[in-house]
Amino acid sequence: MTRILSILLLCLATTGFSQESSGLKLWYKQPSGETWENALPIGNGRLGAMIYGNVETETIQLNEHTVWSGSPNRNDNPAALASLPEIRKLIFEGKHKEAEKLANQTIITKQSHGQMFQPVGSLHLAFEGHENYTNYYRELDLEKAVTKTAYEVGGVTYTREAVASLSDRVIVMRLTANKAGSISFTANYSSPQQKKTFAVTPSKDLLIAGTTSDHEGVKGLVAFQGITRIKLEGGSLTSTDTSLIIKGANAATIFISIATNFNNYQD
């Protein structure tokens, strides 16, 4: 009995140790710069973000899973069904080139070959005076699905953490510093979409809205809107027509929500 108890205790200790030491992380000692592939991804199956970890101007590139070019359309070839017996006959006769030629004429679509997944845009956070930084570090915790960026400027340590919440359907970034009143930045949107607008609401929510692009003759009709709301601990929040300005906060939490008019592939 004593031996069995000892073995069980050993197993529990081993399990506990393995759980403590199994932190799976991607970590880097430099920002992403302008390279998209260097940014760290987070997502909840509907919303996605690429976190660049740049110091002076952080970029949060945003996607929503229904933001595609085009709109409901048919891209089948109406001649496909009638030509199928002849294509099969040519294949069985070994006339593969003739079968391929007929298939290209009657089965391959004459219109849209498919639509493009498109970005909503990017939220930019500009930190004035953060050009000269030290002790830079960023990571993606693969077990917790949290990104973290940390660095020092003027003896103050700044930290940014981001996660995509499934239950709350938002992307959240938390900004903190180890000295009170140190969080100051400007937030604004950009987007590669041709049809887009930026605005700030009377309640100081930052908005991006637009419609996706046409593609292969199919009119873009997916309308999207993104809302960024910033909650401060201390400090002040003011705005221009298209940006939010944060001054002297102890901490800031940024919430990003995106939705579209997409219901299903027919609507």
Side-chain angles (χ1 to χ4, degrees), residues 66-70 114-119 193 212-216:
T66 62
V67 177
W68 289 71
S69 65
Q115 296 304 309
M116 303 180 295
F117 186 54
Q118 297 190 315
Q193 297 283 355
T212 56
S213 63
D214 307 345
H215 183 60
E216 293 187 338

Side-chain angles (χ1 to χ4, degrees), residues 24 66 102 111 153 181 186 194 231 243 245 259:
L24 296 174
T66 62
L102 183 58
Q111 299 179 47
V153 172
T186 300
Q194 294 298 310
K231 293 182 67 175
S243 64
I245 303 164

Side-chain angles (χ1 to χ4, degrees), residues 6-231:
S6 299
I7 292 169
L8 286 172
L9 288 172
L10 180 61
C11 289
L12 287 171
T14 305
T15 303
F17 177 78
S18 64
Q19 289 176 343
E20 283 183 17
S21 61
S22 62
L24 296 174
K25 296 180 180 181
L26 303 174
W27 62 273
Y28 305 87
K29 294 190 288 185
Q30 63 281 325
S32 297
E34 300 298 320
T35 305
W36 183 85
E37 290 84 356
N38 289 348
L40 298 175
I42 55 174
N44 61 14
R46 190 180 70 85
L47 297 178
M50 296 292 281
I51 311 296
Y52 279 64
N54 294 333
V55 175
E56 306 98 305
T57 303
E58 174 66 285
T59 296
I60 306 167
Q61 188 261 316
L62 299 164
N63 293 94
E64 198 274 351
H65 73 147
T66 62
V67 177
W68 289 71
S69 65
S71 53
N73 71 99
R74 294 193 62 156
N75 65 352
D76 56 318
N77 192 322
L81 183 60
S83 67
L84 191 56
E86 179 62 20
I87 292 171
R88 286 172 172 161
K89 180 174 179 292
L90 290 170
I91 291 173
F92 286 125
E93 291 175 354
K95 299 176 181 179
H96 301 133
K97 287 293 183 183
E98 291 88 340
E100 181 182 3
K101 182 178 179 181
L102 183 58
N104 287 336
Q105 293 171 348
T106 61
I107 291 182
I108 301 299
T109 179
K110 298 301 179 185
Q111 299 179 47
S112 166
H113 290 270
Q115 296 304 309
M116 303 180 295
F117 186 54
Q118 297 190 315
V120 169
S122 296
L123 179 67
H124 303 283
L125 311 176
F127 298 83
E128 187 177 354
H130 284 212
E131 296 82 8
N132 299 315
Y133 56 88
T134 58
N135 296 325
Y136 179 90
Y137 173 85
R138 67 185 174 105
E139 70 176 27
L140 171 59
D141 188 320
L142 297 174
E143 295 182 58
K144 298 179 180 178
V146 176
T147 69
K148 177 182 177 181
T149 302
Y151 59 91
E152 289 185 22
V153 172
V156 179
T157 299
Y158 295 88
T159 304
R160 308 171 194 160
E161 294 178 290
V163 66
S165 170
L166 175 64
S167 58
D168 295 307
R169 300 167 65 86
V170 291
I171 290 168
V172 184
M173 178 173 277
R174 172 84 171 161
L175 288 75
T176 58
N178 67 350
K179 180 181 178 182
S182 297
I183 305 292
S184 298
F185 62 95
T186 300
N188 68 279
Y189 275 118
S190 69
S191 176
Q193 297 283 355
Q194 294 298 310
K195 293 174 278 189
K196 81 272 188 174
T197 59
F198 311 117
V200 175
T201 70
S203 59
K204 292 185 171 55
D205 286 338
L206 184 61
L207 303 184
I208 180 173
T211 306
T212 56
S213 63
D214 307 345
H215 183 60
E216 293 187 338
V218 181
K219 186 172 179 59
L221 294 177
V222 178
F224 61 86
Q225 186 175 84
I227 302 176
T228 291
R229 179 172 296 173
I230 303 178
K231 293 182 67 175

